[in-house]
Amino acid sequence: MVSIGNIVLTESPLLLAPMEDVSDPPFRAVCKAFGADLTYTEFISSESLVKGAIRSRRKLDIFANERPVGIQLYGGDEDSLALASAIVEATNPSLLDINFGCPVKGVVGRGAGAGVLRDPDRMVRLTEACVRSTRLPVTVKTRLGWDEGSKNILDVAERLQDAGIQALTIHGRTRCQLYKGEADWDLIGKVKNNPRMRIPIFGNGDIDSPQKALEYTNRYGVDGIMIGRAAIGYPFIFREIKHYRLTGEMPPAPTVEERVAVCRMHLEGALSWNGPAQGLNEMRGRYAHYLKGLPGIQEYVRRLVRLPDADSVAALLSKIEASYCGYVTEAHPIKLVDYHANCAL
């Protein structure tokens, strides 16, 4: 078993990555239902949370059907992070995670997210401020370094552990790589195999198949794997990884009925959490991901995003299910969504 503070997870757990505009409560619940062992909220600005911004406060919403769940904060000011940590604790999540990895220009420019990678001393001070301000287990998600010439994760990992964090997730790219190129898991493995490290080390980056998940777990010895882009529209990946680990065989690809059922489940969650109008709006970008690969599905998706109410969407989903009844999708490598494709350096 893998433990983060008082949270006991399964052996080699699967984590759902925190993704802005993706990892909301309805999506987390879907991934949890298909085998995610630990989920995270979208990242929350500590400054906005302290100021009481409505959007930031809503990101604190967590529900019983998605636990254990961590709330992720980012920020570049020690006082704001400390105050935000206390606010987070009052909402009773399972843990608090600090984002030192987001490469988005707007975050980095404020000295937060991956912007802290160039100043390890400051990274440690920010971490200590969070640890001092909460009784929750504090974890960190970060990257290998700022650029190819400053991959300092081996030293940073030890210092963050000394600052009091209880688990570390490493994305195998630098900030300057954004989400391009291949993730470098060699350094992740070196952190895990450093005899000084006592906390769980989770690897993240490019896991898009059960075969790769098992291969990387065994090769690099990580305590678990965090999955992000590959789960967008395909929560089945958690179930598939666990099945492959247990049997050594790939399960059948999800049926059309399963795809539509997951789409309905997500829709119901979105309507419940956001209300009818906002719930429908939030789902408009999701249909294509859940239904991709079905021949001629684009026209159905164009209709889905224009429908004015939930009943109309439900009726069209039923028509899609009937139209593709018996259609067998082939198992094929998952194409990673180009998340933050337009993120400028």
Side-chain angles (χ1 to χ4, degrees), residues 214-225:
L214 182 60
E215 176 191 351
Y216 280 32
T217 300
N218 291 339
R219 184 191 302 176
Y220 300 105
V222 291
D223 294 285
I225 284 177

Side-chain angles (χ1 to χ4, degrees), residues 102-109 146 175-176 178-180 340-345:
C102 178
V104 174
K105 186 176 182 179
V107 173
V108 170
W146 177 258
R175 188 271 164 169
C176 289
L178 303 178
Y179 294 90
K180 301 178 177 69
H340 286 154
N342 298 317
C343 173
L345 285 172

Side-chain angles (χ1 to χ4, degrees), residues 1 12 15 37-38 47 61 72 80 93 115 130 142 145 151 279 294 303 309 318 329:
M1 297 295 183
S12 195
L15 287 59
D37 297 299
L38 174 63
E47 288 84 357
D61 287 352
Q72 189 184 72
S80 292
C130 288
T142 189
K151 292 182 178 180
L294 299 177
R303 292 168 60 187
D309 56 71
S318 294
T329 57

